[in-house]
Amino acid sequence: MAKIIVITSGKGGVGKTTSSASISTGLALKGNKTVVIDFDVGLRNLDLIMNCERRVVYDFVNVINGEATLNQALIKDKQTDNLFILPASQTRDKEALSKEGVEQVLNELAETFDYIICDSPAGIEHGAQMALYFADEAIIVTNPEVSSVRDSDRILGILQSKSRRAELALDPVKEHLLLTRYSPERVENGEMLAVEDVKEILAIKLLGVIPESKAVLTSSNSGVPVIHDQQTDAGKAYDDAVERLMGRERPHRFLTAQKKGFFKRMFKGSATA
Amino acid sequence: MSFLDYFKSSKKNTASIARERLQIIVAHERGQREQPDYMPQLQQEILDVIRRYVAVDQDQVQVQLDKNDDCSVLELNVTLPE
Ligand SMILES: Nc1ncnc2c1ncn2[C@@H]1O[C@H](COP(=O)(O)OP(=O)(O)OP(=O)(O)O)[C@@H](O)[C@H]1O
Ligand SMILES: [Mg+2]
């Protein structure tokens, strides 16, 4: 049985595409046949993050409209076995994704894949609703910041009322919190919401905490999802999150600030006091 | 309190302000979500009726529907001016 997982947030720019790339790569690296779908119709960014932008011929909307077969549109990832990408269309028609069309494509994918990862666009409108409608599980990407947390709660409301599982009164969509761009130093200084705060406010299970990391930018520069670099904290944190998604226990790491030298802290303290 | 804690606490802890604001707004918005679609209009009409008798502000009338297992309670809270 294929599992459909949406990566969503409400708020834009919090790390959905970054997370979609690393999580789908991680699932594939661990032997799961995985496809990642870019639902961000009009923009299309996942192909760049996954370094396949020059191999896009057909896209999601072409498949829905019958202009291409799924096999023609799917791009096989060159870096990772078991991984395929279905790119977004750059059409300006935001309504191009119909519920029936999306369902048909997902059903066809479900015949061959173990995991179907849906990279949602920002917002709570049509595109975001299409990305989450058929989901079995949802990863709510949240930054430790007021507007992101509030928007995450709104997306949770939509999952609980407007998803297929909600409408058909099936088991609810399984919700996971992925807190990204986390700075333990700033949390310890009282400048940033702590992971416990966000967990308590949203009241959902914590899948992982991805630290704010320079490696995320360098990895997107070169189109290599950060999970490939297991030397980096972000890469390791995504790997832990994927393990948990597959049902394994992993302790949470990178939640506390690295100890700075006494003089550095003194200097910082007196400069800002 | 150690010397270093002194520097930390002299800065305002904005994270705890954020947490409190979020707790309030999220609880409020969840309450709204669970309300039937007619609630905003019901609230407006109740407000209009009250205003025929006393001058009250929009935010001085709170209407809320609480669902229990076997019944729902419509709670009306009006703060009258002194
Ligand atoms: N852990 C992190 N550390 C540092 N930068 C990050 C981290 N995660 C994401 N970013 C950066 O944040 C920006 C937005 O990331 P991304 O494109 O993944 O967000 P998004 O939620 O998909 O955005 P959109 O809503 O536009 O689709 C990018 O520049 C990315 O490099
Ligand atoms: Mg994106």
Side-chain angles (χ1 to χ4, degrees):
Chain A
M1 263 291 277
K3 241 186 214 161
I4 303 177
I5 304 179
V6 63
I7 303 199
T8 184
S9 67
K11 189 170 158 65
V14 296
K16 293 178 293 298
T17 301
T18 303
S19 300
S20 297
S22 272
I23 289 172
S24 57
T25 298
L27 286 167
L29 285 172
K30 292 173 201 299
N32 304 287
K33 199 154 183 227
T34 305
V35 57
V36 55
I37 309 178
D38 189 346
F39 272 79
D40 207 344
V41 170
L43 284 177
R44 186 197 282 169
N45 279 323
L46 185 68
D47 56 340
L48 266 179
I49 301 300
M50 306 206 47
N51 200 18
C52 64
E53 70 278 7
R54 296 178 57 195
R55 293 196 287 140
V56 175
V57 183
Y58 295 110
D59 59 55
F60 195 9
V61 172
N62 291 140
V63 178
I64 288 178
N65 293 343
E67 294 149 6
T69 66
L70 198 47
N71 278 329
Q72 286 175 308
L74 282 176
I75 301 174
K76 190 177 180 332
D77 193 284
K78 282 195 172 154
Q79 308 171 69
T80 312
D81 281 342
N82 300 319
L83 182 58
F84 289 79
I85 298 124
L86 184 55
S89 167
Q90 285 176 315
T91 168
R92 263 184 265 159
D93 177 12
K94 290 275 173 199
E95 307 285 308
L97 299 179
S98 65
K99 202 179 268 181
E100 298 69 34
V102 172
E103 181 169 31
Q104 216 177 339
V105 172
L106 291 177
N107 282 342
E108 202 178 329
L109 289 170
E111 288 168 17
T112 39
F113 287 94
D114 302 317
Y115 283 94
I116 302 173
I117 306 296
C118 306
D119 179 16
S120 174
I124 52 174
E125 302 306 322
H126 183 75
Q129 296 203 10
M130 284 303 107
L132 68 76
Y133 187 77
F134 295 98
D136 300 308
E137 302 190 18
I139 296 175
I140 317 295
V141 181
T142 307
N143 291 166
E145 175 270 322
V146 283
S147 54
S148 175
V149 176
R150 179 203 211 165
D151 289 356
S152 292
D153 193 66
R154 295 191 67 187
I155 270 293
L156 286 169
I158 291 172
L159 281 164
Q160 291 156 11
S161 62
K162 296 212 174 115
S163 62
R164 173 179 156 275
R165 284 179 170 271
E167 284 183 0
L168 302 183
L170 304 171
D171 287 341
V173 178
K174 196 168 164 193
E175 301 156 341
H176 307 273
L177 170 63
L178 186 67
L179 194 59
T180 61
R181 313 203 65 163
Y182 194 68
S183 290
E185 293 82 9
R186 305 194 70 186
V187 172
E188 284 175 20
N189 284 336
E191 307 170 2
M192 182 181 270
L193 287 163
V195 54
E196 295 79 26
D197 298 338
V198 182
K199 233 173 72 179
E200 190 191 310
I201 292 163
L202 294 178
I204 57 175
K205 222 183 75 266
L206 182 65
L207 180 70
V209 179
I210 313 297
E212 172 76 27
S213 163
K214 288 184 178 161
V216 171
L217 181 60
T218 54
S219 85
S220 79
N221 284 341
S222 46
V224 182
V226 71
I227 196 169
H228 276 298
D229 189 351
Q230 282 300 308
Q231 304 303 313
T232 62
D233 47 1
K236 290 179 198 164
Y238 272 119
D239 191 70
D240 288 350
V242 171
E243 290 283 339
R244 291 185 202 107
L245 197 59
M246 292 172 63
R248 300 186 192 132
E249 298 269 335
R250 281 288 177 285
H252 288 279
R253 298 190 270 178
F254 317 111
L255 299 186
T256 48
Q258 281 172 354
K259 290 275 168 287
K260 286 199 189 111
F262 178 74
F263 282 102
K264 208 164 167 190
R265 285 171 65 174
M266 274 293 297
F267 185 72
K268 198 173 158 228
S270 48
T272 50
Chain B
M1 194 159 86
S2 82
F3 186 54
L4 285 170
D5 285 340
Y6 171 75
F7 284 117
K8 278 188 193 162
S9 61
S10 63
K11 265 188 295 178
K12 214 173 185 173
N13 186 327
T14 54
S16 59
I17 302 174
R19 184 182 59 228
E20 277 160 37
R21 292 174 61 214
L22 274 169
Q23 279 164 339
I24 293 165
I25 190 68
V26 164
H28 174 76
E29 287 177 347
R30 277 184 197 159
Q32 301 261 302
R33 277 210 294 269
E34 283 146 26
Q35 308 257 315
D37 295 338
Y38 60 74
M39 282 303 282
Q41 194 172 357
L42 177 69
Q43 174 153 8
Q44 188 56 48
E45 288 182 24
I46 289 174
L47 183 69
D48 292 341
V49 171
I50 294 171
R51 276 183 178 163
R52 278 190 227 149
Y53 301 89
V54 236
V56 289
D57 282 338
Q58 182 97 35
D59 58 358
Q60 284 166 321
V61 177
Q62 254 136 39
V63 185
Q64 199 168 320
L65 193 68
D66 289 320
K67 280 201 199 98
N68 297 325
D69 290 339
D70 47 355
C71 68
S72 298
V73 177
L74 185 70
E75 196 181 296
L76 179 62
N77 251 303
V78 187
T79 316
L80 295 176
E82 298 273 303

